[in-house]
């Protein structure tokens, strides 16, 4: 039986460093360390169709565990921010 892996992308901080990662059930895989030469941040990874490159690391040993990192806004440098205001009577 083949195992299916769930991949969640995130931005994170550890100490004073910020990077982007893949959150797996086994821990955090630092994609910035592995793919930073090609994709400067998570937005670039997504915009430049780098998901296939990220999938390559689905079975990698994690670099960190969740309790070692601080999760940041997923895309920490958006091009646009949309807000919706609703007024109630």
């Amino acid at each position: 039986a083949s195992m299916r892996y769930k991949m969640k992308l995130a931005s994170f901080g550890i100490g004073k460093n910020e990077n982007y990662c893949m959150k797996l059930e086994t821990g955090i895989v630092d994609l910035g360390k592995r793919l930073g030469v090609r994709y400067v941040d998570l937005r670039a990874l997504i915009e430049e169709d780098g998901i296939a490159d990220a999938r390559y690391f689905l079975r990698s040993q994690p670099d960190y565990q969740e309790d070692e990192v601080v999760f940041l806004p997923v895309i920490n440098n958006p091009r646009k921010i949309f807000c919706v205001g609703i007024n109630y009577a």
Side-chain angles (χ1 to χ4, degrees), residues 10-12 42 71-77:
S11 293
F12 75 99
L42 187 53
F71 289 104
L72 303 172
V74 177
I75 304 294
N76 59 7
N77 59 344

Side-chain angles (χ1 to χ4, degrees), residues 44-60:
L45 177 85
I46 294 167
E47 286 179 344
E48 298 170 25
D49 295 325
I51 300 300
D53 292 335
R55 278 194 187 111
Y56 178 80
F57 299 103
L58 274 171
R59 295 183 181 169
S60 295

Side-chain angles (χ1 to χ4, degrees), residues 3-55:
M3 248 182 118
R4 292 196 52 106
Y5 291 87
K6 291 183 183 179
M7 176 175 71
K8 296 179 183 178
L9 300 175
S11 293
F12 75 99
I14 186 159
K16 293 186 178 191
N17 298 319
E18 294 181 3
N19 225 336
Y20 60 98
C21 66
M22 178 172 24
K23 182 181 171 293
L24 303 174
E25 291 177 9
T26 57
I28 306 299
V29 175
D30 189 339
L31 291 176
K33 180 171 73 174
R34 292 172 165 83
L35 298 172
V37 173
R38 295 190 65 192
Y39 311 104
V40 63
D41 57 19
L42 187 53
R43 188 181 80 197
L45 177 85
I46 294 167
E47 286 179 344
E48 298 170 25
D49 295 325
I51 300 300
D53 292 335
R55 278 194 187 111

